[in-house]
Amino acid sequence: MSTSPQTRTIGVGLISVGWMGRLHSRAYAALPLIYPELGLKPRLVQAADTAQAGRDYAENVLGYETTTTDYRDVLANPEVDVVSICAPNFLHAEVSIAAAKAGKPFWVEKPVGRGGKETAAVEAAADAAGVVTCIGFNYRHVPAVELAKKLIAEGQLGRVTNVRGRFFGGFSSNPEDPLAWRFVRSMSGSGVLGDLMGHLVDLMHHVLGPISAVTAATGTYIAERPALPGSTATGLLPVENEDFASMLIRFHDSAVAAGALGSLEASRIAVGSSSDYGFEINGTEGSVRWNFARMNELDVALTRTGPFIGFTTVLANSSFPEFERFQPSSGTGMGYDDLKTIEAKKFLLAVTGGSAESSNIHDAVASARVLDAAEESAASGLWVSLPIIAGSTAAFAQ
Ligand SMILES: NC(=O)c1ccc[n+]([C@@H]2O[C@H](COP(=O)([O-])OP(=O)(O)OC[C@H]3O[C@@H](n4cnc5c(N)ncnc54)[C@H](O)[C@@H]3O)[C@@H](O)[C@H]2O)c1
């Protein structure tokens, strides 16, 4: 990491150059343009991908100085100060633990582990090495979500009584789609719980505070899929994890959410849904409603009397957290990439300045424990209790 009076150059290593790897790289590139006053200048040093196409893209399009097939080269590279881990799920824990042992702060995509146990192993390695961590919980950074969190923290909704959240996708709704890694337990862990519900659980932790108890039901409705073309197997093979999950939740008592209850649902086979991801939160004095499909809007209801009862849709504007960084006025929306730019900023601020705004490995453990509890409850039919886990949401614990 080199430092000049104006800028601090931070060497970046990337593990895997797929959708997320490209997005992390664009976020690093955007960072000095969006937040010039921070003086942080990411330098794209080395990228690893087993696929030639990924390595070519890293070098020729993203501008990494070198590439390799072996992620360990990136972790051993002395020019690499921080690492982005964007590999398929089954590699996250292995690479994260290796990054921690190499003393490299890392920004890892979700889910960090295939369940709570593996996620806790990453936590132990990161804690032992004392490295900064950041998790790809990008929906935390949506300005409308941050404003909802702020309204709740200020007590403008009164005491929160309940929340309803869902994350529905239709990306696995075609039974003809082959048995990719996401349907195989050894590769993916749980199904839609780890893939989509983990985001929703983290958003609940971020906005309302830690979940204290869960009861859940899960279902697998496309029970068999054709073997992957090119694999040694043939015919139809069993899908090993859930397509749909539904949970009832309780929250630990906090200043804003004492006794709050909720219901959360996630599906990967909802025909017609594409990232239908949202929540409605009701309190004794008001309500908020948000959906990712209309990311730049927040529905707010703050009165039960007078002519303006009901929800008002507010377009994100300069009074929403971070919005003004990206757009000068309401009506011109931010996009998905911008969320990752905010995430990159929080990560590198944590690395360079000790800011506590970034999500961290403890948040990943907190989310994974809730998902484990959901699987346990789906098997037993019973409520499962959870302790408070102090991630970056700890401020909401009391
Ligand atoms: N935060 C979010 O909203 C979000 C969204 C999508 C995906 N994700 C997560 O990001 C991760 C990556 O997803 P994606 O959509 O970018 O996948 P992708 O399939 O687009 O890319 C995966 C890349 O990994 C490479 N790869 C495979 N084995 C490797 C190895 N041994 N070493 C190095 N590279 C290897 C592949 O060649 C490919 O380039 C997943 O864990 C996923 O859950 C997060």
Side-chain angles (χ1 to χ4, degrees):
M1 205 177 299
S2 79
T3 310
S4 78
Q6 290 82 30
T7 59
R8 195 165 180 182
T9 302
I10 300 170
V12 171
L14 172 66
I15 316 295
S16 297
V17 197
W19 175 25
M20 282 299 118
R22 296 168 191 210
L23 182 47
H24 279 223
S25 305
R26 291 199 295 274
Y28 288 122
L31 179 72
L33 303 176
I34 303 290
Y35 300 101
E37 79 284 2
L38 298 180
L40 298 174
K41 192 168 184 330
R43 170 187 157 209
L44 304 182
V45 173
Q46 190 171 30
D49 202 299
T50 42
Q52 180 71 47
R55 298 196 299 280
D56 287 349
Y57 193 91
E59 207 156 328
N60 301 331
V61 180
L62 299 173
Y64 281 84
E65 294 166 14
T66 56
T67 60
T68 172
T69 55
D70 188 342
Y71 75 81
R72 284 165 292 205
D73 294 340
V74 175
L75 302 183
N77 188 330
E79 301 288 304
V80 167
D81 300 308
V82 301
V83 180
S84 270
I85 302 169
C86 301
N89 296 8
F90 61 93
L91 283 170
H92 288 182
E94 174 189 319
V95 179
S96 299
I97 289 168
K101 286 186 175 159
K104 309 276 189 195
F106 60 88
W107 175 14
V108 60
E109 274 308 326
K110 45 56 59 180
V112 175
R114 289 162 291 189
K117 201 171 156 198
E118 206 172 52
T119 313
V122 176
E123 179 186 49
D127 283 350
V131 294
V132 165
T133 54
C134 177
I135 316 299
F137 287 141
N138 27 266
Y139 301 101
R140 284 178 167 222
H141 320 304
V142 175
V145 171
E146 292 284 38
L147 184 66
K149 175 177 171 162
K150 186 164 170 279
L151 293 176
I152 290 164
E154 288 170 357
Q156 296 210 43
L157 268 55
R159 197 185 101 201
V160 171
T161 53
N162 61 284
V163 56
R164 195 175 68 209
R166 73 178 174 287
F167 200 156
F168 279 8
F171 54 85
S172 299
S173 61
N174 184 353
E176 304 295 317
D177 284 349
L179 194 89
W181 61 265
R182 67 173 69 252
F183 305 108
V184 180
R185 268 206 174 260
S186 62
M187 308 275 271
S188 165
S190 62
V192 76
L193 278 168
D195 198 11
L196 302 188
M197 189 71 94
H199 269 306
L200 193 48
V201 165
D202 180 69
L203 215 57
M204 293 299 105
H205 285 168
H206 182 60
V207 173
L208 290 174
I211 292 170
S212 69
V214 170
T215 185
T218 59
T220 306
Y221 300 98
I222 301 177
E224 294 180 321
R225 290 180 179 271
L228 258 187
S231 71
T232 49
T234 54
L236 288 174
L237 299 172
V239 170
E240 296 175 2
N241 50 30
E242 71 291 341
D243 291 323
F244 173 81
S246 168
M247 293 162 51
L248 295 178
I249 56 172
R250 296 178 193 280
F251 290 87
H252 284 285
D253 281 353
S254 67
V256 293
L261 301 173
S263 63
L264 307 179
E265 292 176 295
S267 174
R268 64 187 179 191
I269 56 161
V271 175
S273 290
S274 319
S275 285
D276 179 3
Y277 177 30
F279 57 73
E280 175 167 344
I281 298 171
N282 304 117
T284 52
E285 305 300 324
S287 302
V288 288
R289 210 160 55 186
W290 172 82
N291 192 302
F292 180 61
R294 291 162 34 227
M295 185 180 108
N296 291 283
E297 299 175 13
L298 184 66
D299 292 343
V300 186
L302 293 178
T303 178
R304 64 171 81 81
T305 57
F308 298 113
I309 51 173
F311 281 94
T312 301
T313 300
V314 184
L315 278 181
N317 59 63
S318 56
S319 63
F320 282 46
E322 300 280 344
F323 183 84
E324 210 169 18
R325 284 293 174 155
F326 295 86
Q327 301 297 346
S329 57
S330 64
T332 312
M334 284 172 59
Y336 182 69
D337 275 28
D338 299 331
L339 306 181
K340 281 299 194 200
T341 303
I342 297 171
E343 197 160 85
K345 177 202 63 161
K346 290 181 178 175
F347 173 47
L348 294 187
L349 274 184
V351 169
T352 56
S355 156
E357 273 185 47
S358 173
S359 60
N360 59 42
I361 188 62
H362 308 300
D363 294 304
V365 171
S367 173
R369 292 292 189 209
V370 173
L371 304 180
D372 280 0
E375 286 206 84
E376 187 184 331
S377 170
S380 69
L382 301 172
W383 279 87
V384 178
S385 297
L386 291 147
I388 292 175
I389 295 177
S392 56
T393 51
F396 284 83
Q398 300 303 319

